[in-house]
Every structure is written in structure tokens, then in C-alpha cells.
């Protein structure tokens, strides 16, 4: 009953003036980015065990285990942040990570003994390791490099696929998304770990997918409507793909919401980053990636067009049928 009216609305022809509101969007983006940078500079990120270091224990149970009772036992030890996961397909091997304790190596050894005692004699301890802050710092650098290389690689691809203006717009859009996500983690002091890095890389993929779809439609219409003012042409391109974008993003959001409310504490930060990333990624495609084409005065003459057959009047020189 609800799906049909909703689909009729989503699949209709839109005529929104997105580009006309770019001034207000630029102010919002400026406030968002400056606020995120200030939060990162003052509060910083709440690094999880992966980056801050801690105690690592790998153990094997005689049979498949449920993580909830184990997590409850370890949480009762009051050792701070705890991460517990299974390894392999059998569900017998588990990994327990406990945040680094205050008090040096003696405190780490004491935490290790407490966790082993909480597990009991039924578990075979296969590996114990104390991850120091130096290793965590190296992971921070590698995580930052992974994000930076992903952004640069995407920009190079867009440059080769389109033109330099498009690459600049895509890079600005993705940087806008990454900084805003980091700002959310910093402002609310949500634990930032390797799952969060994976979420950011996932969001860059989703966001650039939307951006490339819109860019491809813009390039097509630049060839078709050479006399149409660029802001009107960009609005037309966005509205043409808006139905596709809405359907895709709503589908992704349904899955993300399921993870957010049903994935538990382990996936909460990952799910929140995905949720914000999908929303801000759609926004930045329209109000960060496309305005660059206006500000840098992209023109149809910049694009390669096929030669006109003799005596033929191309469609883009006829009166365009625009919304």
C-alpha cells in the first residue's frame, strides 16, 4: 500500500534547482568542515584498541562458543574497552583485545592473567601478545595513508575518465566526506578503530559511484546541449539521475540501519560511519563535486565531440526540451 505511491513519487521527473542553492550549501559545508577540524584539533579521536594498543589473547574452546557470555565475563573485570571476535568457520577460536592499562608492563601482565582466569580451564590459550602504543601509532599512519591513497587514486581515475575539473570536484567531494566523518567521531568521541577505517573506505566507494554517474550524465548533456547555460545543464543532469540515486541510497540505508540497531556494540561505530557517509556522500555529490564545474567555467568545447555530418543540424542546436 505504501510502496506503490512512494515508487511513483521517486520515479517521476524532478525539476529541482540544486545548483541555485549552492551558495547556502557552500556556507553549510564550510561550517561543517571548520567545525570538524576544530573538533579534531581540540578533542582528537577516541582511538580503539587497534590504534591505542593493549592486550591480545587468542584462545580455542573445545566446541563452538557464544560470544555474549564471554563478553559479559570480561567486561565484569573492569579493564576498559574490550573487543571479542571469532576466527575461522568452526566458531571455536576467539580473539580478545583489551585496551592498554595504566601502569606499564606489570599492569598489562595483570590484565592478561585476569582475562585468562575469567575464561577458565576449558580454553586453550594459543597466543598472548601486548600491543604497545608504538605499533598503534604505526597503524594510525598506515590507516591515514590508505585513505589518502584511495582519494588520490580515485581522483586520477576520474581525471583520466573525464577532465581535470571533474577530478578536482571528485577529490574535493571525497575529502569533504572524510573530514566530516572524522569530525563526527571526534565530536561524539566514538571509538575509532580499523572498522572505522574500513567504513571510510567503503563510503568513498559509494560516494564516488554517485559522483561518476552524475558526471557521466553531465558529459553526455554537454555534448547534446551546447547552448544551454551550465547551471541549468547541471540541474538537468542531477534531476535525470535523482530517481536512481534515491532508490540506491535508500536500499543501502536499509541495510545500514539493520547493522546499526542489530549489529551490537562491535559494529556500532562502523554502522554509524556508514549511515552518516551515505547521507553526506549524496549531499557532497550535488553541492561539492558539481559546483566546481561552475566555478572553473567548464564548457562543452572542452569535451571531445564527434564531427557533424554535412547538412545535418545536431539536436543540441535545436530548441532544447528542458524542464
Amino acid at each position: 500500500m505504501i510502496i506503490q505511491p512512494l515508487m511513483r513519487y521517486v520515479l517521476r521527473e524532478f525539476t529541482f534547482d540544486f545548483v541555485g542553492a549552492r551558495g547556502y550549501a557552500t556556507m553549510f559545508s564550510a561550517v561543517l568542515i571548520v567545525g570538524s577540524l576544530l573538533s579534531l584539533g581540540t578533542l582528537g579521536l577516541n582511538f580503539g584498541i587497534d590504534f591505542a594498543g593493549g592486550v591480545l589473547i587468542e584462545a580455542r574452546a573445545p566446541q563452538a562458543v557464544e560470544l555474549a557470555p564471554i563478553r559479559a565475563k570480561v567486561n565484569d573485570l573492569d579493564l576498559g574497552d574490550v573487543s571479542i571476535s571469532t576466527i575461522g568457520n568452526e566458531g571455536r577460536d576467539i580473539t580478545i583485545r583489551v585496551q592498554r592499562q595504566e601502569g606499564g608492563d606489570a599492569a598489562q601482565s595483570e590484565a592478561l592473567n585476569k582475562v585468562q582466569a575469567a575464561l577458565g580451564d576449558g580454553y586453550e590459550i594459543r597466543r598472548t601478545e601486548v600491543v604497545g602504543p608504538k605499533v598503534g601509532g604505526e597503524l594510525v599512519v598506515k590507516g591515514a595513508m590508505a585513505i589518502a591513497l584511495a582519494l588520490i587514486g580515485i581522483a586520477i581515475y576520474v581525471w583520466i575518465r573525464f577532465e581535470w575539473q571533474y577530478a578536482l570536484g571528485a577529490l574535493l567531494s571525497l575529502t569533504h566526506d572524510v573530514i566530516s566523518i572524522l569530525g563526527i567521531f571526534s565530536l561524539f568521541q566514538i571509538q575509532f578503530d580499523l572498522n572505522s577505517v574500513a567504513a571510510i573506505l567503503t563510503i568513498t566507494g559509494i560516494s564516488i559511484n554517485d559522483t561518476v554517474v552524475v558526471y557521466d550524465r553531465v558529459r553526455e548533456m554537454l555534448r547534446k546541449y551546447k547552448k544551454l547555460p551550465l547551471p541549468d545543464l547541471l540541474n538537468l543532469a542531477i534531476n535525470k539521475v535523482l530517481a536512481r540515486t534515491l532508490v540506491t541510497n535508500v536500499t543501502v540505508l536499509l541495510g545500514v540501519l539493520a547493522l546499526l540497531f542489530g549489529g551490537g556494540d562491535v559494529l556500532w561505530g562502523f554502522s554509524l560511519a556508514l549511515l552518516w557517509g551515505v547521507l553526506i556522500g549524496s549531499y557532497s555529490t550535488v553541492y561539492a563535486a558539481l559546483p566546481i564545474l561552475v566555478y572553473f567555467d567548464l564548457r562543452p568545447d572542452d569535451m571531445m565531440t564527434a564531427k557533424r555530418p554535412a547538412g545535418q543540424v545536431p539536436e543540441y542546436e535545436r530548441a532544447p526540451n528542458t524542464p
Side-chain angles (χ1 to χ4, degrees):
M1 298 295 292
I2 300 177
I3 299 298
Q4 285 186 339
L6 180 62
M7 291 302 296
R8 279 199 297 268
Y9 175 79
V10 169
L11 297 178
R12 72 187 182 91
E13 191 75 18
F14 294 99
T15 57
F16 295 120
D17 183 14
F18 291 104
V19 180
R22 66 183 182 276
Y24 299 103
T26 301
M27 290 188 289
F28 171 76
S29 294
V31 171
L32 181 64
I33 296 302
V34 171
S36 297
L37 293 176
L38 286 176
S39 180
L40 288 168
T42 55
L43 299 177
L45 290 170
N46 178 22
F47 288 116
I49 301 168
D50 297 321
F51 297 131
V55 176
L56 170 67
I57 300 174
E58 287 187 7
R60 168 168 289 185
Q63 58 187 6
V65 298
E66 294 185 8
L67 295 183
I70 301 174
R71 186 174 288 112
K73 288 181 181 180
V74 179
N75 285 335
D76 290 340
L77 299 176
D78 195 22
L79 298 175
D81 292 330
V82 176
S83 173
I84 304 177
S85 59
T86 58
I87 307 173
N89 298 325
E90 297 180 358
R92 297 172 55 199
D93 298 322
I94 62 173
T95 299
I96 302 176
R97 294 175 183 266
V98 180
Q99 75 172 42
R100 185 170 180 80
Q101 307 296 304
E102 299 292 337
D105 293 338
Q108 315 312 316
S109 299
E110 182 180 354
L112 184 62
N113 293 332
K114 286 182 178 180
V115 174
Q116 291 181 10
L119 289 176
D121 298 332
Y123 287 84
E124 174 192 353
I125 305 300
R126 312 197 67 178
R127 181 165 73 106
T128 60
E129 184 178 339
V130 176
V131 181
K134 181 179 179 180
V135 176
E138 291 176 355
L139 285 177
V140 172
V141 174
K142 290 181 179 179
M145 287 182 60
I147 295 172
L149 289 175
L151 297 182
I152 294 172
I154 290 172
I156 292 174
Y157 162 75
V158 175
W159 191 346
I160 295 173
R161 183 73 174 80
F162 297 95
E163 296 289 337
W164 69 268
Q165 293 97 330
Y166 295 90
L168 182 61
L171 183 60
L172 178 64
S173 172
L174 294 177
T175 304
H176 173 281
D177 297 344
V178 170
I179 293 176
S180 67
I181 293 173
L182 293 176
I184 291 294
F185 273 87
S186 173
L187 181 63
F188 296 103
Q189 286 297 287
I190 302 168
Q191 188 178 102
F192 190 85
D193 52 22
L194 289 177
N195 287 335
S196 306
V197 175
I200 291 176
L201 294 175
T202 303
I203 287 304
T204 58
I206 296 174
S207 180
I208 196 60
N209 181 62
D210 278 346
T211 303
V212 168
V213 168
V214 176
Y215 275 173
D216 196 57
R217 185 56 62 96
V218 169
R219 181 172 62 175
E220 174 188 334
M221 291 186 172
L222 280 170
R223 293 168 173 169
K224 189 175 182 180
Y225 302 122
K226 279 194 172 182
K227 294 184 178 180
L228 190 65
L230 187 58
D232 294 339
L233 187 144
L234 296 180
N235 274 327
L236 182 60
I238 299 171
N239 283 293
K240 288 291 186 183
V241 300
L242 186 57
R244 174 257 175 211
T245 300
L246 287 174
V247 171
T248 301
N249 288 349
V250 168
T251 304
V252 174
L253 283 174
L254 290 176
V256 171
L257 289 173
L259 284 177
L260 184 66
F261 294 109
D265 295 337
V266 177
L267 293 177
W268 194 80
F270 175 82
S271 305
L272 183 65
L274 283 181
L275 178 64
W276 175 254
V278 171
L279 298 176
I280 202 66
S282 300
Y283 164 85
S284 65
T285 294
V286 177
Y287 290 114
L290 284 181
I292 288 295
L293 304 183
V294 178
Y295 297 143
F296 282 87
D297 199 25
L298 182 70
R299 288 295 180 231
D301 294 340
D302 297 331
M303 311 301 295
M304 296 181 62
T305 56
K307 292 184 177 180
R308 180 192 312 177
Q312 179 180 344
V313 179
E315 184 178 354
Y316 50 71
E317 291 188 1
R318 305 170 194 161
N321 181 20
T322 57

